[in-house]
Amino acid sequence: MKLFKYIAIAGLLSFSSCSKDFLGDDFLKKDPLDQLTDPAFWSSENNIRTYTFGFYNSYFKGYGQGFAWGTYFSGQFINDDAAPLSPNENVITEFVQNIPTSGGGWSPALPTNQTPTGVSSYYSRIRKANHFIASVPKAQLAEEVQNHWLGIGRFFRGLEYANFVNAFGDIPYVDHVLTEDDPELYRPRDSRVFVMDKVLEDFKFAAQHVRKSDGPAQQSVNKYVVLAYMSRVFLFEGTWLKYHNKNEAKSKEYLEAAKWAAEEIINSGAYSISTNYRNLFSSETLKGNSEIILFKEYAEGVLQHSLMSYNNLEPQAGISKNAIDNYLLSDGLPIRLSPLYKGDKSVSEALANRDGRLAQTVVPQLRMLNTLSNYAFSGYSVQKFLNESLKNLPVGSGQLNITDAPIIRYGEVLMNYAEAAAELGVLDQVALDKSINVLRSRNGVGLPKLQVIGIQPAVNGVAYDDPARDATVSSLFWEVRRERRSELIFEGLRLNDLRRWKKLEYADTDKNPTINRGAYIVKANYSSEQLNGIAIDGNQEGYIIPSSVNKRQVVDKYYLDPIPIDQISLYKSKGVELAQNPGW
């Protein structure tokens, strides 16, 4: 519970001049914000540690707070896992449709101190990281201490720039605190490769110098947190450069960095797969869980969320038929090849003889509009984040949920390793056995080992090729991506996966109609009242169409966000061009 106190204090510290008496009587007389005025503050490692907790809420949102969710479940809605609810309307869950006049993430629409919610931007957080990095050397610290905290600062700066590049592509790179007359204020956009090379430098420094343990266990940044995010960030960037035809040499370098970082964690032996998949997302406490690298703690009356309630009491979009079809049968074969597949004319048939993660993700009951209050528009309701023992208690309702949120876990690291190895052409049986097959050995999953014969995926010594495979993706890559989807579904990663593979078309309801399909029903089994508002793709029976009026159309410009108009105008007024992203 101490971490909550530290984070609250850190929020104040991050906006102070960092004087030891920042809450003293002379608070209003202090130097301007972000001035490096007090070396004594930075000479205390306890102060420095507390200050860094001020970064956490920007990067480790978990299940969010109150009714504001993080990226888990429908917090990251636009993909092929969740059924579309109201595509192409001006709602927060859909793609940006118009160039914003201001804000848009590039910069706050107003200065932070003029907004009631403390709106910030990439650059405000970069400034904070640069301020921290410049401040640590101000005091006389032992080399190991200084390098550890510099590593923490560079980790957060690298993570922020990686997120910035992810959203906008080429961006201006600034590695110091700017003054009002600094010429770098209107620096033209640097190439994403230039920026990500700087990010890689930051991550390498952090991986070398950040301690294996510091602060509350599994709740504070350490070497393994750095390595886990390094595997995520550079898997994204390596595959982005490969599939968007940007830079083959750099793609390989970044993929090697991702693989190295993941393998460092694997070889450390510090983590192992939890025996219970669903408990990773629905436990009252994740402390001591062997798979958790970093988690966010929730506690009654202190910090609570509403994600579990949404998995229990509220209507939801539901999982798509496309996502259901992704899961293998218990013999390790896809639905079109396995004799164990019973079809999907009922929910029980659809879930029968499948990868055990499916039953731990989807409610084994049809929950259709007009039949239950906690219906899913697709008819397939998600229960991955539901704690069954808490669901009928006060902490299971509204915004009072107390289940802890995994921020980053070993299961993802194993998938990052496997995919990076595949992209580099080195995914052999040894690599499979220490990654994907470790996940398949988890209690309750029940899948045979994935094998590789030549360049083909195989189970039980027999190679196979899924007839539903995207023809532009090799059969082995297809299976690696399938495993990633099954393991990490609704954890806020799928949209970025589609973006980096240049496969946003999978989220288009015309090009991929099964994302706008749900459970199979027969109209004769329901009254006219129960069928009110229900559309299916047949006359008397068929699959539910969750969004029967609107369609989601994906265009290439959606791969990057637009730069707000005011920023382009501001640059132009200074005689500098800030080029808009393609298509906007």
Side-chain angles (χ1 to χ4, degrees), residues 449-466:
K449 286 185 176 182
L450 179 62
Q451 300 168 323
V452 58
I453 298 178
I455 58 172
Q456 292 292 113
V459 288
N460 298 317
V462 179
Y464 68 94
D465 185 9
D466 185 1

Side-chain angles (χ1 to χ4, degrees), residues 472-499:
T472 67
V473 180
S474 76
S475 57
L476 183 59
F477 283 18
W478 187 252
E479 295 308 316
V480 172
R481 293 181 183 184
R482 181 203 305 278
E483 191 77 24
R484 181 178 180 86
R485 188 180 186 186
S486 298
E487 176 68 24
L488 303 175
I489 194 166
F490 298 123
E491 294 180 45
L493 300 170
R494 183 65 176 176
L495 177 58
N496 276 338
D497 287 345
L498 300 186
R499 290 177 61 241

Side-chain angles (χ1 to χ4, degrees), residues 86-97:
S86 50
N88 282 342
E89 292 184 1
N90 187 22
V91 291
I92 196 168
T93 52
E94 289 295 317
F95 292 107
V96 174
Q97 298 296 311

Side-chain angles (χ1 to χ4, degrees), residues 232 469 519:
R232 177 190 287 183
R469 171 173 61 88

